[in-house]
Amino acid sequence: MVVGATSWGCTLATCVDRAGNDAVVLCRTDAEAAQLSAAREHRRLLPGIPLPDGLTFTADPRGTPPGVIIWATPSQRLRQNLRDVLPNLTPGDTVHASAAKGLEKGSHLRMSEVLEQELSLAGRDGRVGAISGPNIAREVARGLPATTVVASQNAHDRERLQQALNSESFRVYTNEDLIGVELGGALKNVIAIAVGTAVGLDIGDNARAALMTRGLSEIARLGVALGAEPATFAGLAGLGDLLATASSPRSRNRTLGEKIGGGMTLSDAMADNPHVVEGVETTRVVLEVAEALGVDMPIARVVSQVLFENLEPREAIRVLMQRAPTVEG
């Protein structure tokens, strides 16, 4: 079962179907389920891409407990969705995996930690994992070749998640570094906003490459401080996801940055996008976490100042370029 008829939720359900498994999408309402079932297309979020006939759309989570539940709701809504769905979900031998890429406001928790908390409060087995990688939803939904990573601290659960999604067009790797996989997916959105802003300013390929490279260094510094393995950030959930998100014109975080670099306000750029842009709220949380740990994240800091403190994008670049010279690391 995939919770959330988002673009990524419907895409992951399509992957489950392609892997030869029963795929159910849990929708918000009966009307949404009926519309998607009849149209076999998500006309607002994935226009022009047919959804497989094998997908089932429903607003009722009751019934035989699924072996895997993928939570594909926006990160800041995950906790409420868990509280809405879990009381109606039949208990069973289920692995719960987050497909959201963010950190929760206030608590600073990763999504798997939110899952663990709410499962415990509901009296459920807290078997959790995460899905992350260089995955532009529209490309994956079309069946273009792509890879991703499933992470869990339990080897059996990693294998179950892999089997649920792996197909000829969607190659799924496993990783036991749940912390690193989740942080790579969340933090790269902040850097993608920075890269998009550079695109909007038209300041060149060198600047974009520098932002991606130094941005990855920031991601790894914070990740290691929080207990992640350094090698994870050189893999699909780190470098791979950052490259896809910061390079693709289909990336919602890069696109938002590009609009801001081109002169739009944050509110106008957000209103001009039908998708949730996870990097905006993640930027706030990341800086709170980094400051508490004493981790320096200069790119994330100027992104925050551009988004929330009216720092002009071109001035933000000047601030970064005028930092004191230092060693690479």
Side-chain angles (χ1 to χ4, degrees):
M1 177 184 289
V2 177
V3 179
T6 58
S7 59
W8 190 221
C10 288
T11 297
L12 285 171
T14 298
C15 292
V16 172
D17 178 79
R18 288 175 181 153
N21 301 303
D22 294 335
V24 177
V25 178
L26 185 66
C27 302
R28 289 172 296 179
T29 64
D30 290 329
E32 181 181 52
Q35 192 278 326
L36 289 169
S37 184
R40 312 311 299 182
E41 178 187 349
H42 202 313
R43 290 171 178 161
R44 185 172 67 91
L45 299 180
L46 291 170
I49 298 178
L51 297 172
D53 292 338
L55 296 194
T56 299
F57 298 93
T58 182
D60 186 357
R62 292 173 295 184
T64 303
V68 168
I69 298 181
I70 299 170
W71 297 82
T73 67
S75 58
Q76 305 309 326
R77 300 178 198 165
L78 176 60
R79 190 179 295 275
Q80 187 58 54
N81 277 279
L82 283 158
R83 292 177 177 178
D84 292 341
V85 172
L86 287 178
N88 299 309
L89 189 69
T90 306
D93 181 25
T94 302
V95 180
H96 296 262
S98 167
K101 296 179 178 180
L103 299 172
E104 188 179 47
K105 290 188 294 185
S107 71
H108 299 169
L109 294 178
R110 293 175 285 108
M111 295 299 99
S112 68
E113 294 175 309
V114 175
L115 281 171
E116 286 180 329
Q117 278 193 353
E118 292 301 319
L119 287 166
S120 177
L121 288 171
R124 306 297 181 97
D125 185 17
R127 297 170 57 197
V128 301
I131 301 164
S132 193
N135 303 141
I136 303 299
R138 189 171 183 85
E139 293 184 5
V140 178
R142 288 173 56 200
L144 298 180
T147 57
T148 201
V149 176
V150 293
S152 172
Q153 294 174 339
N154 182 288
H156 180 62
D157 292 347
R158 292 195 296 271
E159 291 173 5
R160 287 178 68 175
L161 292 171
Q162 185 180 48
Q163 291 166 3
L165 291 164
N166 193 75
S167 69
E168 291 183 357
S169 62
F170 197 56
R171 184 171 174 82
V172 180
Y173 292 83
T174 63
N175 193 319
E176 63 182 345
D177 181 16
L178 181 57
I179 296 173
V181 167
E182 287 190 278
L183 289 176
L187 304 186
K188 55 84 187 180
N189 286 330
V190 179
I191 305 304
I193 292 174
V195 174
T197 303
V199 173
L201 291 170
D202 193 24
I203 58 174
D205 294 336
N206 292 333
R208 292 196 291 272
L211 286 167
M212 282 189 273
T213 306
R214 298 308 306 160
L216 183 62
S217 179
E218 290 189 18
I219 291 170
R221 275 202 302 273
L222 184 60
V224 170
L226 288 167
E229 295 294 330
T232 300
F233 301 106
L236 291 170
L239 175 61
D241 201 359
L242 175 61
L243 288 174
T245 306
S247 301
S248 174
R250 299 181 184 88
S251 159
R252 61 193 70 173
N253 290 279
R254 171 187 147 134
T255 298
L256 178 125
E258 190 169 348
K259 290 175 179 177
I260 290 172
M264 270 193 180
T265 64
L266 173 61
S267 59
D268 286 344
M270 294 283 281
D272 197 40
N273 193 329
H275 302 274
V276 173
V277 183
E278 294 275 28
V280 173
E281 290 300 336
T282 300
T283 298
R284 298 183 194 265
V285 182
V286 163
L287 281 180
E288 291 172 1
V289 174
E291 288 169 5
L293 293 171
V295 175
D296 189 28
M297 299 188 73
I299 297 174
R301 186 164 55 249
V302 298
V303 169
S304 178
Q305 291 170 337
V306 168
L307 293 179
F308 309 120
E309 300 175 27
N310 297 316
L311 178 67
E312 288 294 327
R314 199 166 293 278
E315 177 65 12
I317 298 299
R318 188 190 69 80
V319 168
L320 288 173
M321 293 299 292
Q322 290 187 353
R323 295 176 66 241
T326 185
V327 297
E328 185 179 31

